[in-house]
Amino acid sequence: MTFRHSRRRFLAAAACGLAAPGLSSLALARAEDEHPMVPFDREIETYMKARGTPGGALALVRHSRLIYTRGYGWADRDAQTPAGPETLFRIASISKPFTAVAVLRLAQEGRLSLDDRVFGENGLLGPKLDGQPQDLRLNDITLRQLLQHTAGWNRDRSGDPMFRWKTIAKALKLSVAPEPWPIIRYMHGQPLDIDPGQAYAYSNFGYCVLGRVIERVTGEPYEPHVQRHVLAPMGIRRMRIGETLRSSEGESHYYTRNDTKAPSVFPEVPEPTPEPYGGFSMRVMDAHGGWVASAVDLARFAAALDDPARCPVLSEQSLRAMRTPPPPPAWRDQRGALQDAFYGCGWMVRPAGPNGKANTWHAGSLP
């Protein structure tokens, strides 16, 4: 999946996978003589056919208005259920911008600062963790660094703890896949790969920590907090954290190209299990990759953030912070110049156009 929006007056959101939806109440074009957007249909159908993608959906926004939606292929290939624009898909790491907006909103309200420390005696999560970390550099990590993936974990060096469930469960003597807090306690005893703030390294674990910060500061569980304070003001009603072993109502069914199997994260599920249904835990991934959403939901989210004067959640100052590059040396070349694109707070950002308005996007992937 790729989710892009541009402040150059044009937005688009697409989701590919499989779905089990009701058709959208919006008018859908089905024939060439009915709508001028047929070139979009041709492109998506060609893309899907070349890759064997069973189903997908498109939502297109212009001038902050939804102007076209369409489903393609099957929501459920075996039941011959068509995919629609309001079919729910696992959006994987496209979940991260939603977590980032929730954190920026709390900063806007003065309930935290992006420069707050996360760990250590005075850190936002300090009281939840026992003793000093093995690596004292953890005490220097800030919320801003978590948002910008510069906190110091590098999954290419030490692995991604969000998917190392067997290793962590064994270390903690757990019989099931660990939940977020046990994972954080385990990582509290592991060394960082990089000094905080020195380099970009994409981190699912960093966004898991942000989810727990939201819970600690608000006293609410992560999912209902985001639903109430981020999604509802934008008119997004059906997004939720996905289920691991089954699809929820209105959600796609998922297939892998070769029907791949994986070890199950649940002891009661026989191994091996179909990879999308038990090879990882959606609930554990909540803040970094656990949401299910429709293409229309993503379009609404993009449109809400595109116009600072009309954004129902973030101020112009907060939106500017979302698109601000990390401090040096992250995302700088050998001469110290900022690269053409960078990861801001929850988005990849590319300044574009005569006024430097930002093109922003995020991708996500799961089996």
Side-chain angles (χ1 to χ4, degrees):
M1 301 177 188
T2 300
F3 175 35
R4 296 175 180 266
H5 82 278
S6 168
R7 298 203 59 208
R8 299 194 313 186
R9 304 192 301 175
F10 186 83
L11 298 87
C16 286
L18 272 192
L23 292 178
S24 169
S25 59
L26 298 166
L28 302 181
R30 295 296 181 186
E32 288 197 13
D33 58 356
E34 291 179 350
H35 206 286
M37 304 306 290
V38 168
F40 279 87
D41 297 340
R42 288 201 197 99
E43 288 296 325
I44 289 180
E45 288 165 352
T46 299
Y47 181 95
M48 290 170 56
K49 182 178 180 180
R51 292 159 180 80
T53 304
L58 169 73
L60 183 65
V61 175
R62 188 167 187 260
H63 301 309
S64 297
R65 294 185 63 186
L66 188 66
I67 63 169
Y68 188 59
T69 64
R70 172 118 187 239
Y72 305 87
W74 301 112
D76 186 318
R77 186 169 55 193
D78 300 324
Q80 299 283 279
T81 305
E86 296 200 46
T87 295
L88 298 172
F89 295 88
R90 292 175 177 175
I91 63 171
S93 284
I94 301 172
S95 301
K96 290 181 175 67
F98 293 88
T99 299
V101 168
V103 172
L104 287 165
R105 178 185 165 276
L106 292 173
Q108 180 176 288
E109 293 181 346
R111 301 175 72 177
L112 51 75
S113 165
L114 298 188
D115 295 316
D116 282 347
R117 298 293 195 272
V118 178
F119 302 104
E121 184 178 351
N122 298 314
L124 292 168
L125 298 185
K128 283 280 189 178
L129 298 168
D130 297 326
Q132 286 290 334
Q134 183 198 62
D135 188 334
L136 293 180
R137 294 178 297 175
L138 268 78
N139 293 341
D140 297 327
I141 294 172
T142 67
L143 285 177
R144 193 185 308 274
Q145 290 164 348
L146 292 177
L147 288 165
Q148 297 175 338
H149 296 295
T150 61
W153 298 288
N154 187 336
R155 61 183 180 176
D156 292 335
R157 295 186 190 177
S158 55
D160 188 337
M162 304 312 298
F163 295 94
R164 293 174 60 210
W165 65 273
K166 279 195 170 181
T167 299
I168 296 175
K170 182 177 180 180
L172 299 179
K173 297 181 172 56
L174 300 174
S175 60
V176 296
E179 295 291 316
W181 270 113
I183 294 173
I184 292 173
R185 292 192 180 96
Y186 172 83
M187 292 300 290
H188 196 240
Q190 305 302 309
L192 288 175
D193 301 297
I194 312 165
D195 287 343
Q198 292 302 298
Y200 167 85
Y202 192 85
S203 176
N204 287 317
F205 175 67
Y207 270 72
C208 170
V209 174
L210 286 170
R212 311 303 58 90
V213 168
I214 291 169
E215 293 178 337
R216 179 73 179 166
V217 170
T218 66
E220 299 178 89
Y222 167 81
E223 180 184 15
H225 176 83
V226 174
Q227 288 172 327
R228 186 178 302 113
H229 297 288
V230 176
L231 304 180
M234 296 179 179
I236 300 171
R237 308 292 179 186
R238 297 170 63 235
M239 278 184 63
R240 53 185 173 266
I241 301 300
E243 300 295 335
T244 303
L245 298 178
R246 58 183 171 82
S247 300
S248 58
E249 183 181 355
E251 186 183 350
S252 65
H253 187 80
Y254 304 103
Y255 305 89
T256 56
R257 183 180 297 274
N258 298 313
D259 295 325
T260 52
K261 307 290 185 180
S264 174
V265 299
F266 301 104
E268 70 273 17
V269 176
E271 293 191 27
T273 185
E275 193 169 10
Y277 294 103
F280 48 85
S281 172
M282 292 292 292
R283 287 276 152 185
V284 172
M285 292 163 50
D286 58 359
H288 77 80
W291 288 95
V292 296
S294 70
V296 173
D297 291 333
L298 298 185
R300 287 195 177 111
F301 182 64
L305 300 177
D306 191 55
D307 184 354
R310 301 174 62 185
C311 182
V313 175
L314 296 182
S315 66
E316 184 171 359
Q317 181 179 358
S318 296
L319 290 169
R320 191 161 50 246
M322 188 173 68
R323 301 181 177 110
T324 298
W331 293 103
R332 271 63 178 185
D333 62 22
Q334 293 181 344
R335 297 173 292 117
L338 183 65
Q339 297 181 26
D340 291 340
F342 54 85
Y343 200 100
C345 290
W347 297 91
M348 282 297 296
V349 180
R350 179 186 295 107
N355 298 319
K357 289 185 177 180
N359 168 249
T360 57
W361 74 95
H362 212 291
S365 177
L366 278 174

